[in-house]
């Protein structure tokens, strides 16, 4: 594994773990008493910590996609809880401080890091001359191929 790929893997794991630990901490320190939202914080904390471990040890690619989906969902829930409310629960601003800001940063970072990983792993075009399909479906050398 290339060092850059491993560094991205570790960074994703750390960003997911930080968000998970903060959600678990907030659950323990007051959110457990909030119907629906409290259990969601506990679930997110648990799932994110498990994903962080799986990503760190080199789990399958879907673990990173799950982390990105969870981070995106968490950001949406954050916005909804500060606008129209989430299951009747409304928060304001960046409270609880500093945890709200830290989780937003780590979740955006998770999305960026998973995106970078996906871009690094996409197939690269061949340096050979491209082949074009003819009308009969057979490959033909490129007309530019001299």
């Amino acid at each position: 594994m290339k060092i850059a790929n491993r560094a991205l893997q570790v960074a994703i794991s750390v960003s997911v773990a930080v968000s998970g630990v903060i959600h678990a901490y907030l659950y323990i320190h007051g959110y457990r008493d909030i119907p629906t939202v409290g259990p969601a914080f506990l679930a997110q904390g648990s799932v994110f910590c498990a994903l962080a471990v799986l990503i760190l040890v080199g789990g399958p690619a879907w673990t990173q996609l799950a982390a990105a989906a969870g981070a995106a969902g968490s950001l949406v829930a954050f916005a909804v809880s500060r606008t129209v409310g989430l299951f009747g629960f409304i928060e304001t601003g960046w409270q609880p401080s500093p945890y709200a800001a830290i989780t937003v940063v780590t979740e955006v970072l998770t999305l960026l890091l998973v995106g970078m990983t996906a871009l690094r792993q996409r197939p690269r075009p061949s340096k050979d001359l491209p082949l074009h399909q003819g009308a009969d479906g057979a490959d033909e050398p490129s007309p530019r191929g001299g």
Side-chain angles (χ1 to χ4, degrees), residues 19-20 22-28 31-32 34 36-47 74 77-78 81-82 86 89 91 96 103:
S19 179
I22 289 174
H23 279 85
Y25 175 85
L26 291 174
Y27 171 80
I28 292 167
Y31 278 61
R32 79 171 100 202
I34 303 168
T36 309
V37 172
F41 267 61
L42 179 60
Q44 181 173 344
S46 302
V47 169
S74 184
F78 180 87
S81 73
R82 280 150 178 79
L86 185 63
F89 179 69
E91 293 180 295
T103 59

Side-chain angles (χ1 to χ4, degrees), residues 57-130:
V57 300
W62 67 261
T63 57
Q64 292 182 15
L65 295 175
S74 184
L75 289 169
V76 169
F78 180 87
V80 170
S81 73
R82 280 150 178 79
T83 54
V84 297
L86 185 63
F87 303 111
F89 179 69
I90 298 176
E91 293 180 295
T92 57
W94 291 97
Q95 296 301 318
S97 180
Y99 307 108
I102 294 169
T103 59
V104 166
V105 168
T106 60
E107 288 154 3
V108 168
L109 186 59
T110 297
L111 292 172
L112 292 173
L113 291 168
V114 171
M116 287 173 57
T117 300
L119 288 175
R120 288 184 56 81
Q121 293 176 352
R122 73 174 190 260
R124 297 217 165 73
S126 172
K127 292 182 182 184
D128 296 334
L129 292 174

